[in-house]
Amino acid sequence: MVKEGGRYRDMDQEGKLQDVKEVFALGNLQDKQELVGRTDDLYGLLVHSTSNVGDDIQSLAAMHFLPRVDVLIDRDATRLYKSPRPVKVIMNGWFTHKPENWPPSEAIKPLFISFHLTPNVVEQILTKEGIAYLRRFAPIGTRDRFTQRVLEEHGIEAYFSGCLTLTLGDIIRVPRIKGKVLIADLEPEAERHLPSTITNQALRITNSLIPNLDSTLNKLSGYASYRIVKQLVRSFLPKKARENLDYRLRSTFVRHLSVQHRLAVAMARLFAIASSEAVITSRLHVALPALGFGIPVLFVHKDLSDPRFEGLLPLLHHYDIISFAKEVKNIDWTQLRNPRPEAVNQLRKQLIANIQRFLALDQSRLA
């Protein structure tokens, strides 16, 4: 895979996955002391320690705009980052498992775009210090209308940018496999309503790096005895240890994975999506890349009122479990189309233009 003018030249899947480390230069990142004498712009990439491949897809979405990656920065530890020189960072994605590490370091020169603030950390992020920080870098491009509204209520200029993964169609172009339907982490109670002509031939993927553990935890959460034991364990832990208990457990199991490995897995997921004729999923970061590739997508989720989805649902066919059960029999699988491709393309163009301005790149490189 070769980067040419902001794009990646098409090759076969095996070749692309083999070349991820070389193309992104992640194996030869500069030592911080070696950055001291540099006079050119430095570029940083947010990386993650979660079990969610969707986070790594966010990294790839930002990475393809960068001329190179000089440093890797943990999304949940941006305040702890230190550098002798400012580093430009695209601050996209979900924030954050560790609000105590906010606001980010002064060494980071951020572009806030496709930024989501999870509801349970709003008070910890939007302190007097946090508000002043975001105002410095406004307007803030938000991934969803919920985040836009919360920021504006705190006097922070914001706009709805949509998700950076809507631009992924610019870097991965593969033929669609005739008849291929992709099912990704679909709720079991939704999948049972699909016709057998779909389920018998569908390709299934997961956005979990540890699917066996996730599956076990999800099954256990359905048992009252497990919930009681879990609550009992929490009662003996200090407050800080109780927070994000499931996140901490999952992170322990993926800590050994290299960034290169995580990005290769994410790239493989994107190939699976891009080569499909239709996608059915409960995962936002399968649905949105599918929109970016122009792949018809059915998004089925038990809670469509989740703040993460606000403003994004009109872009795709969306159902809760009950409505999907009622309407799936009326779906014409040969005529699937996304409802608002023009709106998706407009968001994509706006995302690209804003990032180009931030990076001060020639407009022709990423157009």
Side-chain angles (χ1 to χ4, degrees):
M1 178 170 55
V2 180
K3 195 171 185 181
E4 296 180 341
R7 301 179 188 275
Y8 294 105
R9 188 171 67 215
D10 289 340
M11 292 172 57
D12 61 22
Q13 180 172 343
E14 181 180 1
K16 288 204 174 200
L17 293 179
Q18 287 176 337
D19 289 348
V20 166
K21 180 176 178 180
E22 179 183 344
V23 171
F24 297 140
L26 295 177
N28 299 294
L29 294 170
Q30 300 293 312
D31 181 90
K32 289 180 184 178
Q33 292 306 312
E34 295 178 16
L35 302 178
V36 175
R38 296 269 294 274
T39 58
D40 55 336
D41 287 333
L42 299 181
Y43 301 96
L45 179 71
L46 293 183
V47 294
H48 311 86
S49 57
T50 69
S51 63
N52 183 4
V53 179
D55 288 329
D56 304 301
I57 290 174
Q58 290 281 354
S59 294
L60 289 176
M63 184 184 294
H64 86 88
F65 287 99
L66 302 177
R68 65 181 179 278
V69 177
D70 295 304
V71 291
L72 302 176
I73 301 172
D74 188 332
R75 175 199 62 186
D76 294 315
T78 54
R79 188 184 186 102
L80 306 180
Y81 178 72
K82 296 179 181 179
S83 172
R85 290 188 49 218
V87 178
K88 288 187 174 182
V89 181
I90 298 172
M91 301 286 283
N92 65 309
W94 185 98
F95 289 82
T96 168
H97 285 294
K98 297 182 179 180
E100 65 270 20
N101 290 334
W102 191 271
S105 162
E106 287 298 319
I108 292 174
K109 186 176 180 181
L111 171 67
F112 284 96
I113 196 163
S114 303
F115 177 71
H116 170 72
L117 197 55
T118 191
N120 64 342
V121 302
V122 166
E123 290 186 6
Q124 294 166 276
I125 295 293
L126 297 182
T127 60
K128 184 177 180 179
E129 181 187 15
I131 291 170
Y133 176 83
L134 288 171
R135 284 176 178 169
R136 284 171 54 197
F137 299 104
I140 307 299
T142 67
R143 196 174 75 186
D144 51 89
R145 297 289 187 184
F146 164 79
T147 303
Q148 179 187 5
R149 186 172 63 255
V150 168
L151 294 182
E152 290 176 341
E153 287 172 353
H154 287 79
I156 301 166
E157 185 183 356
Y159 67 96
F160 174 62
S161 68
C163 185
L164 203 54
T165 58
L166 296 178
T167 68
L168 286 169
D170 287 358
I171 65 167
I172 296 178
R173 293 175 180 173
V174 294
R176 298 185 188 181
I177 299 173
K178 185 173 178 58
K180 176 184 173 182
V181 175
L182 185 73
I183 296 177
D185 293 323
L186 187 62
E187 302 282 355
E189 55 266 46
E191 183 169 341
R192 67 186 179 89
H193 295 290
L194 287 170
S196 58
T197 52
I198 298 296
T199 58
N200 289 346
Q201 300 182 46
L203 172 68
R204 289 169 173 78
I205 64 169
T206 176
N207 256 15
S208 173
L209 285 165
I210 43 173
N212 291 336
L213 176 63
D214 280 343
S215 176
T216 300
L217 290 175
N218 289 336
K219 288 177 181 177
L220 286 173
S221 65
Y223 294 96
S225 56
Y226 171 76
R227 294 195 297 271
I228 291 170
V229 170
K230 186 175 179 181
Q231 190 59 41
L232 186 63
V233 170
R234 285 175 178 272
S235 67
F236 285 100
L237 293 174
K239 182 179 179 182
K240 191 163 186 177
R242 291 198 305 267
E243 295 173 353
N244 297 322
L245 193 58
D246 285 347
Y247 157 72
R248 292 169 185 272
L249 175 61
R250 289 176 167 90
S251 294
T252 299
F253 281 86
V254 298
R255 208 170 279 163
H256 67 286
L257 299 178
S258 69
V259 173
Q260 292 93 335
H261 175 91
R262 295 181 65 109
L263 294 177
V265 171
M267 186 70 83
R269 298 293 191 279
L270 292 176
F271 273 103
I273 297 167
S275 60
S276 300
E277 287 198 327
V279 171
I280 313 168
T281 185
S282 297
R283 290 275 196 173
L284 188 64
H285 285 103
V286 173
L288 296 182
L291 285 182
F293 296 132
I295 307 297
V297 56
L298 304 182
F299 182 66
V300 187
H301 199 277
K302 58 188 175 185
D303 182 14
L304 293 178
S305 65
D306 189 317
R308 293 178 299 150
F309 308 151
E310 191 174 331
L312 296 169
L313 293 180
L315 303 177
L316 40 75
H317 297 292
H318 57 278
Y319 311 85
D320 60 21
I321 304 297
I322 295 174
S323 64
F324 186 69
K326 292 178 179 178
E327 298 178 34
V328 67
K329 60 181 176 294
N330 298 320
I331 294 174
D332 184 347
W333 298 94
T334 64
Q335 299 296 321
L336 276 182
R337 302 288 187 276
N338 290 322
R340 297 186 63 191
E342 300 85 2
V344 171
N345 193 45
Q346 185 58 40
L347 288 171
R348 171 192 161 274
K349 289 180 178 179
Q350 181 187 52
L351 286 161
I352 291 173
N354 289 339
I355 293 176
Q356 285 177 337
R357 281 193 291 271
F358 171 67
L359 297 177
L361 295 177
D362 180 79
Q363 293 293 312
S364 65
R365 292 186 62 187
L366 294 173

